[in-house]
Amino acid sequence: MLFVETGEFLGRHLLRLVRGPSRLSIARRIGGGEPAEPGVTVCKALNVLPWGQRFALCNRVNGAVSRLVLRRASRRLPVPRVTWLYDPRATWAIGAAGDAFGVYDCVDDYAEQASGRRNRALVATSDRDAAAAVRLVFTTTTALRERHLSTNPSTHLVGNAADFEHFAPAVDRALAAPSVEELRRPVLGFAGNIIAGKVDLALLAELADHDPKRTIVLTGPVEATLATELDDLTARTNVVWTGPVPYEELPGIVAAFDVGLIPYAANDYTRNVFPLKLFEYLAAGKPVVATGLPELKGLEPDVVVAHGLEGVETAVTSALALSDETDVARRQKLAAANTWETRTERLLSLIEDELRG
């Protein structure tokens, strides 16, 4: 397998070669490839022009140069080959490796994540172009599937998943990390990146004020623009921010939760989000209360999509009442059916069918 890193202007990589502690690794990736895991080589796309994420012409030039890199790096890859796109601006990669066809794995609304008018427009156009250029499109939400079906009839809904074995032990609250094991219950917890436009900190403040007897736990890195808002939130005695926690230690945090929260704002971006943490919470046997995520509807009673403070309060009350062994087992069964292994099997099955066809 060959993994091609796209994105930054080559000049930034060269600067890291001079300054950074990982300069040898970067040099190998620019020079032709570096082994990352057994059977996996990583190389970098040669983005020789800046502003490739804003201007179509710069993106085309960078793509033409990067095709040469990909063609050289893929010479010894076994056949048949399939080009798998995550970056919709990388359609230049299709055909460069002698591949049978391309697939586009669309796991987010990339244009809604882009900053700046030019960048957003380029990504939106690239998103459509990528769907048209490949043989298969995979999407993680129904809305994304409906968007791409009009361009590519071979568009399939394949949702996100989780590492069940990693999070299943968190069903035992006795395994909770020392930093959270003694917190006042019930504990409503969120584990993930705290990003502006995604996590609704104002709603969390309302939840904390509505019932000071419970604890709200937040775990994960915080975007710099939210620092002041987070400080205001955690000034409350019943709100705890643990800071970032290594993935290996995350089950110890989730073990302390009585309810897993996904408190997202309702906007055009979250409308197309399927959060990874959903099945992580369920693997730990925790009920889930979410906001701003229409893709999660239909998973009641274990997952409830609510609206506003009143709706979330009602959902939390119902979730706390579903806590016997039968409820926990049902949630874990749902998570066990949605692992990375099952998702991979589904994706590879669709590709194999296409290769045979």
Side-chain angles (χ1 to χ4, degrees):
M1 176 184 292
L2 178 66
F3 182 85
V4 181
E5 294 179 332
T6 62
E8 291 185 339
F9 169 45
L10 180 61
R12 294 185 180 181
H13 296 312
L14 295 177
L15 185 62
R16 290 177 186 173
L17 282 175
V18 177
R19 296 181 175 179
S22 60
R23 52 185 175 270
L24 182 59
S25 174
I26 295 174
R28 288 171 178 161
R29 294 183 184 188
I30 293 176
E34 178 187 33
E37 295 287 343
V40 179
T41 300
V42 177
C43 71
K44 285 187 177 292
L46 292 186
N47 294 324
V48 295
L49 294 182
W51 310 304
Q53 296 179 339
R54 296 183 182 181
F55 298 99
L57 177 59
C58 295
N59 187 57
R60 286 197 295 271
V61 172
N62 290 337
V65 176
S66 296
R67 278 180 66 89
L68 301 177
V69 175
L70 179 54
R71 185 175 293 117
R72 176 186 176 188
S74 61
R75 287 174 181 171
R76 297 184 180 181
L77 292 177
V79 293
R81 301 168 188 162
V82 174
T83 296
W84 194 305
L85 300 182
Y86 281 104
D87 185 344
R89 291 164 297 197
T91 51
W92 50 261
I94 299 173
D99 45 285
F101 56 84
V103 302
Y104 175 35
D105 200 350
C106 183
V107 301
D108 253 325
D109 190 336
Y110 301 118
E112 289 297 328
Q113 289 181 297
S115 59
R117 180 179 59 84
R118 286 184 179 276
N119 191 8
R120 185 184 296 261
L122 176 60
V123 174
T125 300
S126 299
D127 182 58
R128 291 190 295 271
D129 291 346
V134 299
R135 192 83 63 82
L136 296 170
V137 178
F138 306 135
T139 68
T140 52
T141 70
T142 304
L144 289 174
R145 180 175 183 269
E146 291 174 351
R147 172 190 299 179
H148 289 308
L149 266 176
S150 60
T151 303
N152 190 323
S154 295
T155 297
H156 304 269
L157 176 63
V158 187
N160 275 326
D163 185 343
F164 179 82
E165 297 299 328
H166 187 63
F167 284 91
V171 72
D172 184 358
R173 201 175 193 281
L175 299 180
S179 60
V180 292
E181 64 178 342
E182 298 299 332
L183 293 176
R184 183 166 51 189
R185 301 179 68 177
V187 173
L188 314 183
F190 169 79
N193 294 324
I194 302 173
I195 300 173
K198 189 173 183 179
V199 177
D200 192 344
L201 293 184
L203 174 61
L204 291 174
E206 290 182 298
L207 280 173
D209 293 339
H210 190 265
D211 186 354
K213 295 180 181 180
R214 65 190 171 203
T215 304
I216 295 177
V217 173
L218 307 176
T219 294
V222 178
E223 188 175 308
T225 58
L226 293 179
T228 300
E229 194 173 348
L230 182 70
D231 287 343
D232 292 342
L233 177 61
T234 55
R236 296 163 172 81
T237 58
N238 64 331
V239 179
V240 176
W241 175 54
T242 69
V245 171
Y247 181 74
E248 295 74 19
E249 300 174 15
L250 194 54
I253 301 295
V254 176
F257 296 177
D258 293 294
V259 176
L261 293 179
I262 311 180
Y264 284 4
N267 52 45
D268 288 340
Y269 169 62
T270 58
R271 186 171 64 88
N272 289 302
V273 167
F274 192 114
L276 296 175
K277 60 186 58 59
L278 171 69
F279 291 118
E280 294 174 351
Y281 290 162
L282 293 175
K286 313 300 180 181
V288 179
V289 174
T291 59
L293 294 167
E295 187 63 25
L296 303 189
K297 291 181 179 179
L299 296 175
E300 299 84 357
D302 299 307
V303 181
V304 176
V305 180
H307 304 279
L309 176 62
E310 184 176 348
V312 172
E313 286 289 353
T314 300
V316 167
T317 299
S318 299
L320 291 171
L322 297 173
S323 58
D324 64 26
E325 292 183 359
T326 302
D327 298 317
V328 172
R330 182 181 62 248
R331 291 191 280 265
Q332 287 197 304
K333 182 178 179 180
L334 178 58
N338 291 275
T339 64
W340 290 119
E341 289 78 11
T342 59
R343 186 178 194 272
T344 300
E345 288 175 5
R346 170 67 172 153
L347 296 174
L348 293 181
S349 175
L350 289 168
I351 290 174
E352 288 170 359
D353 288 346
E354 192 68 29
L355 286 170
R356 285 195 295 267

